[in-house]
């Protein structure tokens, strides 16, 4: 199974939902799975599942934050709906959820499915089109969908038509990078490794601040050839308790096509930009 199949199955499951937050208990119960909370689970254990007769029980750790508990339920539902064997046995380690690097492919697929259910594309698409891609928006949508900020940031990027990317790092090392379809079409990719020295993420870690923003060259974050023709604004949120950073990157073309436009005569300057979008002021 590939990621697209997991996403398609998730979209089908939540297609009828018209408002956030998604009722995860109801989704589980529609699949004959009952959710229970327990404070008896070991620290660092997000939850576990067990069968009793025809019913499957999902037990989530009452000490985890509520958004994490919602994600855990949907991750377990994903194993059931996608019929993917669980690689963590009956116990779900909290430290591995929503982590993309070094996880077995089935676990990543279950996370992708969970994120798609928690923040349905058809609900976030219109919000993403009107709210700027910034930390403030991510915090606001996190409360709206009752989903973690990393989950919301990745869903925003997947639903957006802009040239944006989201990078999640821990201790300055990139764990996952999600690029919008428009950015991938421009052949701009973000690689793994350490966050760039000039980045807002690196600055937030060095200064131990919560919020930083910087203006960079596209090539600071991407070694793709195409990135040389772009500028990149980055806003970074540093979650100090976990030593994690979320970087929100917005790319803008500054290369040959814009210089070309400047050479044209005045009448041509009145024509719409090469992007095909009319130059309305941004909301
Ligand atoms: Zn799993």
């Amino acid at each position: 199974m590939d990621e697209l199949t997991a996403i398609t199955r998730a979209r089908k499951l939540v297609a009828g939902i018209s408002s956030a937050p998604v009722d995860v208990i109801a989704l589980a119960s529609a699949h004959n799975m009952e959710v229970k909370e327990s404070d008896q689970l070991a620290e660092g254990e997000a939850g576990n599942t067990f069968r009793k007769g025809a019913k499957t029980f999902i037990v989530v750790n009452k000490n985890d934050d509520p958004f994490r508990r919602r994600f855990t339920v949907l991750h377990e539902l994903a194993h059931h709906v996608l019929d993917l064997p669980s690689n963590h046995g009956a116990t779900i380690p909290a430290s591995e959820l929503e982590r993309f690097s070094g996880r077995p492919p089935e676990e990543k697929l279950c996370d992708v499915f969970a994120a798609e259910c928690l923040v349905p594309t058809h609900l976030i698409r219109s919000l993403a089109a009107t709210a700027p891609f910034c930390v403030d928006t991510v915090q606001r949508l996190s409360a709206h969908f009752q989903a973690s900020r990393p989950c919301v940031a990745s869903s925003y990027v997947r639903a957006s038509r802009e040239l944006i990317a989201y990078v999640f790092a821990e201790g300055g090392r990139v764990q996952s990078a999600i690029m919008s379809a428009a950015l991938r079409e421009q052949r701009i990719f973000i690689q793994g490794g350490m966050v760039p020295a000039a980045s807002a993420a690196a600055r937030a870690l060095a200064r131990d601040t919560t919020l930083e923003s910087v203006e960079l060259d596209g090539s600071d974050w991407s070694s793709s050839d195409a990135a040389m023709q772009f500028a990149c604004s980055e806003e970074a949120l540093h979650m100090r308790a976990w030593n994690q950073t979320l970087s929100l990157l917005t790319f803008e073309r500054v290369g040959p096509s814009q210089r070309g436009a400047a050479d044209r005569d005045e009448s041509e300057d009145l024509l719409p930009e090469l992007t095909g979008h009319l130059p309305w002021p941004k909301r």
Side-chain angles (χ1 to χ4, degrees):
M1 182 181 296
D2 59 6
E3 196 175 298
L4 190 62
T5 311
I7 289 177
T8 308
R9 300 277 282 278
R11 285 189 184 168
K12 213 168 148 188
L13 197 70
V14 296
I17 294 175
S18 58
S19 66
V22 167
D23 185 345
V24 304
I25 308 289
L27 279 181
S29 125
H31 290 84
N32 209 19
M33 298 176 95
E34 193 172 323
V35 179
K36 290 190 175 298
E37 293 188 343
S38 167
D39 54 9
Q40 303 295 314
L41 299 182
E43 202 186 318
E45 187 181 347
N48 60 50
T49 55
F50 65 90
R51 285 181 72 95
K52 203 172 176 185
K55 207 163 200 141
T56 303
F57 291 85
I58 302 172
V59 184
V60 295
N61 196 330
K62 209 171 182 171
N63 298 318
D64 277 350
D65 81 73
F67 295 178
R68 164 48 53 85
R69 300 203 297 262
R70 288 164 55 75
F71 192 90
T72 303
V73 169
L74 292 169
H75 177 98
E76 279 313 291
L77 178 64
H79 277 296
H80 179 77
V81 171
L82 304 177
D83 196 22
L84 290 172
S86 154
N87 245 296
H88 43 65
T91 296
I92 316 154
S95 58
E96 288 195 0
L97 283 173
E98 289 187 77
R99 243 168 202 290
F100 286 78
S101 63
R103 299 195 64 203
E106 310 84 74
E107 296 305 317
K108 284 192 214 172
L109 289 175
C110 289
D111 282 351
V112 165
F113 180 98
E116 185 62 40
C117 290
L118 207 51
V119 186
T121 300
H122 69 278
L123 295 184
I124 198 174
R125 180 157 280 153
S126 56
L127 299 169
T130 50
F133 188 50
C134 63
V135 167
D136 186 53
T137 298
V138 169
Q139 316 248 52
R140 208 160 41 77
L141 294 180
S142 167
H144 180 71
F145 286 100
Q146 295 188 18
S148 71
R149 291 170 291 193
C151 181
V152 163
S154 52
S155 302
Y156 184 114
V157 171
R158 285 199 170 95
S160 172
R161 297 192 163 89
E162 304 297 323
L163 297 167
I164 59 172
Y166 152 68
V167 183
F168 174 72
E170 200 166 76
R173 181 168 291 279
V174 174
Q175 304 291 321
S176 69
I178 303 199
M179 290 135 275
S180 68
L183 198 61
R184 280 183 277 122
E185 263 166 40
Q186 295 291 332
R187 318 259 346 123
I188 295 177
F189 301 95
I190 313 284
Q191 55 282 332
M194 299 303 285
V195 297
S199 67
R203 189 186 283 187
L205 287 166
R207 296 179 178 174
D208 197 22
T209 46
T210 304
L211 206 61
E212 292 285 347
S213 60
V214 290
E215 299 298 324
L216 299 163
D217 293 327
S219 55
D220 282 319
W221 265 106
S222 170
S223 57
S224 306
D225 288 346
M228 310 275 280
Q229 291 164 23
F230 287 79
C232 171
S233 338
E234 175 190 0
E235 203 173 85
L237 174 70
H238 178 202
M239 301 189 287
R240 294 149 97 170
W242 302 281
N243 204 24
Q244 295 165 339
T245 50
L246 312 188
S247 293
L248 310 180
L249 311 179
T250 303
F251 289 79
E252 189 183 357
R253 184 180 280 280
V254 291
S257 12
Q258 202 172 64
R259 277 204 295 277
D263 291 340
R264 290 178 303 178
D265 67 32
E266 269 181 50
S267 61
E268 280 182 313
D269 281 348
L270 296 173
L271 293 170
E273 294 290 328
L274 296 172
T275 56
H277 292 289
L278 293 170
W280 301 122
K282 280 211 166 121
R283 263 183 280 184

